[in-house]
Amino acid sequence: MNLNGKTFNPGELRTLISLQQRAITTGSGGFQVPDWETIGSVYAKWENAHGSEVWAADSAGAEQPATVTIRYQEDLDTTCAVLLNGVRFEIISIDDIRQRGELMELKVRRMRSG
């Protein structure tokens, strides 16, 4: 598989992540509470930002930025999140690589608490 001019090995998709979307649950007292709901688990290629990318991301306020490559997911958008080892990352941008509906590249950063 060709990815941005380089051969892509599907075996690189070896990090298990969960994809989540916002949901509303009923909390104590019957009040509605915003929450997250898992819409699926997929294998991904996870690359933490390093070198000059980290400095650029830090200046933009991103915490633990990363690039995540997954197989194409039609129902994924920037309101969704990625969960890795119990840590939630917000999706900053999504790129349908080469507009082929095969692979997606997600730019993510760790979500702040609160």
Side-chain angles (χ1 to χ4, degrees):
M1 186 177 294
N2 193 352
L3 174 64
N4 293 331
K6 299 178 185 174
T7 301
F8 180 77
N9 178 358
E12 293 179 16
L13 302 174
R14 60 178 166 256
T15 302
L16 186 61
I17 61 172
S18 294
L19 303 174
Q20 298 186 318
Q21 66 182 6
R22 294 185 187 275
I24 301 293
T25 59
T26 303
S28 60
F31 295 102
Q32 292 185 339
V33 179
D35 200 1
W36 291 95
E37 165 183 84
T38 298
I39 56 176
S41 294
V42 299
Y43 282 95
K45 177 181 177 184
W46 189 281
E47 297 176 280
N48 290 316
H50 56 277
S52 61
E53 292 178 37
V54 174
W55 289 104
D58 282 345
S59 67
E63 295 180 20
Q64 294 181 320
T67 300
V68 182
T69 305
I70 61 173
R71 294 192 187 278
Y72 185 80
Q73 300 287 316
E74 185 175 316
D75 55 347
L76 199 63
D77 60 35
T78 56
T79 64
C80 296
V82 173
L83 190 66
L84 173 68
N85 299 328
V87 178
R88 189 168 288 116
F89 291 79
E90 66 180 313
I91 298 173
I92 306 303
S93 68
I94 298 176
D95 179 22
D96 176 6
I97 299 172
R98 303 182 88 190
Q99 303 299 313
R100 297 180 70 184
E102 293 177 352
L103 294 171
M104 300 174 86
E105 187 175 85
L106 314 175
K107 297 291 185 183
V108 300
R109 69 176 174 204
R110 185 178 185 150
M111 293 183 85
R112 295 190 175 121
S113 299

